Amino acid sequence: MLADLLEFQGANAFKIRAYRNGARVIKDYPDSINSIIEEDPASLLSIDGIGKGVAEKCVVLVETGELPQINEILEEIPRSVLDLLRIPGMGPKKAAMLYRELGIAALDQLKEACEAGVVADLKGFGAKTVESILAGIEIADAANKRVYWAKADETAREILDHMQSCGEIRKIELAGSYRRRRETVGDLDILVVSENAEAVMDHFGAYHLVESVIGRGDTKMSVRIEESLQVDLRVVPAESFGAALQYFTGSKDHNVVLRGLAKQKGLKINEYGVFKMDGDKETYVAGATEEEVYAAMELPVFPPELREARREFDWAAEKTIPDLIREQDLVGDLHMHTTATDGKATLEEMVEAAQARGLSYIAITDPSQRVSMAHGLDADRLLAQWREVDVLNEKLDGSFRILKGIDCDILESGGMDLPDEVLSQGDWIIASVHYGQRQSREQITDRIVGALENPHVHIIAHPTGRLINRREAYEVDMEAVMQAAVENGKLLELNANPARLDLHDVHLAAARKYQIPIVISSDAHSVDGLDVLKYGVLQARRGGLTADDVANTKSWDAIESILGR
Ligand code: DGT
Ligand code: CA
Ligand code: CA
């Protein structure tokens, strides 16, 4: 990155080449630069292709996590110019020209300029170049995006499936943010134990979705697969497998804390193992399994979802690591649409599908009239649907329960989209913000708090309104919302849709502290839509929630008593 920025600025060509070579050497070097620097920074110089300047910068970077020189350059030019360099065929020189001549510093500006025809007039650009830039922007855009965990999971399973047919693999495991169940994944990290790394890497490269091989060394290989997801594969020795799994699962912050704790104990921990330090002498004490690695540190094996250096080390010290909720704990689903509005399945079909999935109750919650795009329900249509529900419940005769619900819009001006005397006849009233998302923090907070104070409302759905990779959350004072939920005995939703997962982990942890019951909901718009509940459970685990913290692990009767009925 430094090399690119320097070239962008027009610095000395030798200097640029030194940094670029250095970066490549480090990337391909079999040992991690971190551990080399930890042991003996001077030995960096013995690596071919690394000179004094590069070595010094490596030490600063590893020790402080940043480079002053990069920070200085970034004060002069916006960081977004680096996105331009992700366009295939766009080098720093061309990017610099776009920046100097046209003030273009970001992908969307470049796209506009190309479409307006001003780029084609630049020296050395022309119509053909513009065409390939436009195609390249699409690719760069996609590469910028982290993929939804659900999507990464599909890919991960397919790759594992493919790798099963390689006879040379003794162990295989996915690490990284994928294993921590983060809502989005930057790249996949696979670890393998094998006596034959070459065969494993050949097999990996032969996977049919591999678009290109980014790099291949003796034990490490990176590929790009369809739609730009990168997958890193590392072959590690059996005695280091647990240490590598721990290290590459991360998070980085979790590992930083862990290394500090190791030092205090006279130990060293890295991707090869846990070592007892005695002066210069180090003795391997653990590394084959993750259990053994954490045990050597006198720590429990943290569920990967908790490894973000938030509360997990405190919990370990207090022996209060929460017993995290599991998918099979959920017994009901309290948010879904039907063909009455924009859903694809009828009320009956949703009931059958929920029964087939082992649930014992659902709430039918089509959107209210203000949500005109979804053909939302007015009072008459809603009451008609609720009569249908009564009839169906009669037929089900207690074997399954359908709750009369609605996802009622919280109006832009505040207040609910349907009158109280209608809402009071329902079993389960959701309130949520669909419009006016650009209002001030104060306005939106007031609207939501107002809904929580309405005696007929039970829960706020997708409380921050974010759509991952597509739309930022609206401005809202979540603490005020949580306080209002506590004061009024209301619940909050964790929407399990992979694009929402809202509330997020930090909010969920806060809700747990406030003892606000969370409901994990599918917000299904079809029968298949019910299957997303599992992603909500993973997000709940990241927030440290137990089954007891989540209302729809309990019977409907128990939820009624939470609601004070
Ligand atoms: P991602 O891929 O951006 O969604 O996030 P991760 O967490 O999978 O990050 P990634 O793929 O860069 O690296 C995987 C893990 O390897 C990371 O969680 C922790 C570990 N790791 C990588 N680089 C470093 C590092 O420089 N220092 C430390 N302590 N750990 C690192
Ligand atoms: Ca990763
Ligand atoms: Ca990686």
Side-chain angles (χ1 to χ4, degrees):
M1 172 162 134
L2 182 58
D4 284 340
L5 285 172
L6 285 173
E7 186 164 359
F8 193 96
Q9 278 197 325
N12 175 310
F14 284 109
K15 205 163 158 188
I16 295 167
R17 194 168 321 139
Y19 287 131
R20 188 158 289 142
N21 284 343
R24 215 195 44 238
V25 168
I26 289 167
K27 214 173 149 202
D28 294 341
Y29 201 69
D31 288 334
S32 113
I33 290 296
N34 290 12
S35 25
I36 298 176
I37 289 171
E38 243 169 58
E39 271 156 43
D40 179 15
S43 68
L44 273 181
L45 289 171
S46 64
I47 301 175
D48 258 354
I50 295 193
K52 201 154 158 273
V54 173
E56 274 168 9
K57 295 210 164 43
C58 285
V59 175
V60 175
L61 190 59
V62 168
E63 280 174 359
T64 67
E66 54 188 339
L67 263 188
Q69 205 177 352
I70 285 188
N71 294 344
E72 266 167 42
I73 298 177
L74 285 176
E75 272 174 25
E76 283 168 36
I77 52 175
R79 178 179 284 269
S80 56
V81 299
L82 288 169
D83 293 344
L84 301 183
L85 300 175
R86 288 167 170 266
I87 298 173
M90 172 79 67
K93 274 210 182 104
K94 271 193 179 159
M97 183 139 151
L98 289 169
Y99 181 60
R100 271 198 308 271
E101 303 289 324
L102 300 172
I104 292 169
L107 286 177
D108 50 346
Q109 290 170 348
L110 178 58
K111 192 170 175 192
E112 263 173 45
C114 282
E115 282 163 355
V118 288
V119 175
D121 295 339
L122 274 187
K123 209 175 119 212
F125 278 82
K128 265 240 171 71
T129 319
V130 168
E131 220 171 86
S132 74
I133 287 178
L134 277 172
I137 288 175
E138 303 266 315
I139 297 171
D141 251 343
N144 265 340
K145 282 211 175 123
R146 301 172 57 85
V147 305
Y148 294 148
W149 188 89
K151 170 78 186 149
D153 183 45
E154 241 173 67
T155 305
R157 285 167 192 273
E158 283 172 26
I159 295 177
L160 278 188
D161 208 40
H162 167 79
M163 295 306 281
Q164 293 312 334
S165 62
C166 172
E168 298 286 342
I169 293 176
R170 282 215 279 144
K171 273 187 188 165
I172 182 162
E173 202 76 63
L174 276 130
S177 54
Y178 171 77
R179 183 161 178 246
R180 301 199 312 280
R181 291 8 182 170
R182 268 194 68 179
E183 54 264 72
T184 61
V185 170
D187 66 10
L188 287 172
D189 303 278
I190 304 179
L191 299 174
V192 170
V193 174
S194 168
E195 264 74 63
N196 190 347
E198 290 301 317
V200 172
M201 289 192 286
D202 287 345
H203 192 86
F204 183 47
Y207 176 52
H208 71 103
L209 290 181
V210 167
E211 264 177 19
S212 61
V213 174
I214 300 167
R216 176 168 171 167
D218 293 338
T219 58
K220 183 186 165 191
M221 180 164 169
S222 294
V223 303
R224 190 167 294 293
I225 67 156
E226 50 157 4
E227 290 165 35
S228 87
L229 185 66
Q230 180 176 330
V231 187
D232 297 340
L233 176 128
R234 290 177 176 85
V235 182
V236 302
E239 71 272 16
S240 294
F241 183 72
L245 182 58
Q246 193 290 314
Y247 179 89
F248 290 109
T249 296
S251 65
K252 213 166 153 172
D253 294 338
H254 176 90
N255 289 351
V256 167
V257 176
L258 209 58
R259 277 202 297 277
L261 291 175
K263 242 183 202 150
Q264 289 174 19
K265 291 179 190 295
L267 298 171
K268 188 173 97 177
I269 181 168
N270 57 29
E271 63 266 51
Y272 303 108
V274 181
F275 302 87
K276 185 143 196 60
M277 302 304 288
D278 186 8
D280 271 355
K281 218 182 78 183
E282 54 177 61
T283 323
Y284 169 97
V285 292
T289 66
E290 204 173 52
E291 285 75 16
E292 165 183 319
V293 166
Y294 277 113
M297 296 282 303
E298 295 174 86
L299 286 168
V301 180
F302 298 97
E305 293 92 333
L306 295 180
R307 301 184 196 174
E308 301 286 352
R310 281 199 292 267
R311 296 289 315 284
E312 72 269 24
F313 290 100
D314 299 337
W315 286 334
E318 303 160 354
K319 300 204 186 316
T320 54
I321 292 187
D323 180 13
L324 302 179
I325 181 175
R326 291 154 309 170
E327 191 184 341
Q328 61 266 33
D329 292 329
L330 295 184
V331 297
D333 187 349
L334 293 168
H335 190 167
M336 65 192 66
H337 298 206
T338 69
T339 45
T341 60
D342 61 348
K344 291 196 174 58
T346 62
L347 173 54
E348 288 85 350
E349 286 165 344
M350 290 310 270
V351 170
E352 270 171 36
Q355 284 177 314
R357 284 160 178 74
L359 300 178
S360 58
Y361 58 88
I362 58 172
I364 298 298
T365 57
D366 280 295
S368 64
Q369 56 194 2
R370 172 69 181 86
V371 188
S372 47
M373 259 178 32
H375 193 41
L377 300 180
D378 59 24
D380 287 344
R381 285 166 64 215
L382 177 61
L383 292 171
Q385 185 188 54
W386 284 354
R387 281 192 294 275
E388 248 183 88
V389 170
D390 281 336
V391 173
L392 248 150
N393 267 331
E394 194 90 1
K395 267 200 238 163
L396 290 164
D397 197 23
S399 65
F400 185 89
R401 182 81 188 267
I402 314 164
L403 290 322
K404 292 183 278 193
I406 180 81
D407 177 3
C408 189
D409 185 56
I410 304 171
L411 299 171
E412 285 108 305
S413 52
M416 305 302 295
D417 186 26
L418 289 167
D420 283 356
E421 66 92 16
V422 173
L423 297 181
S424 67
Q425 299 173 54
D427 301 309
W428 180 247
I429 309 300
I430 299 176
S432 65
V433 167
H434 301 96
Y435 298 96
Q437 305 204 3
R438 286 168 187 272
Q439 287 177 355
S440 71
R441 180 180 171 93
E442 206 186 348
Q443 275 175 305
I444 292 190
T445 305
D446 282 351
R447 283 165 70 192
I448 295 178
V449 169
L452 284 165
E453 286 168 349
N454 181 313
H456 306 298
V457 168
H458 302 124
I459 184 167
I460 304 293
H462 42 77
T464 80
R466 73 161 174 181
L467 288 177
I468 298 168
N469 280 353
R470 284 187 268 153
R471 185 176 75 205
E472 292 295 317
Y474 39 70
E475 296 284 335
V476 56
D477 179 350
M478 203 37 99
E479 202 167 318
V481 168
M482 290 199 186
Q483 248 148 26
V486 171
E487 275 159 29
N488 296 284
K490 302 294 166 73
L491 294 74
L492 293 177
E493 180 185 83
L494 161 51
N495 192 296
N497 185 314
R500 290 193 184 269
L501 294 173
D502 164 15
L503 299 175
H504 62 52
D505 53 344
V506 175
H507 286 147
L508 291 167
R512 179 168 191 244
K513 228 162 61 206
Y514 279 107
Q515 296 186 301
I516 299 167
I518 295 295
V519 175
I520 301 177
S521 298
S522 70
D523 198 355
H525 286 50
S526 66
V527 163
D528 289 345
L530 294 169
D531 295 328
V532 301
L533 281 176
K534 56 176 180 265
Y535 309 124
V537 171
L538 296 179
Q539 179 81 327
R541 290 170 64 87
R542 296 181 63 248
L545 301 194
T546 66
D548 196 46
D549 298 321
V550 175
N552 53 326
T553 61
K554 304 168 204 252
S555 67
W556 175 250
D557 285 346
I559 295 181
E560 288 213 292
S561 77
I562 291 174
L563 294 172
R565 291 191 194 134

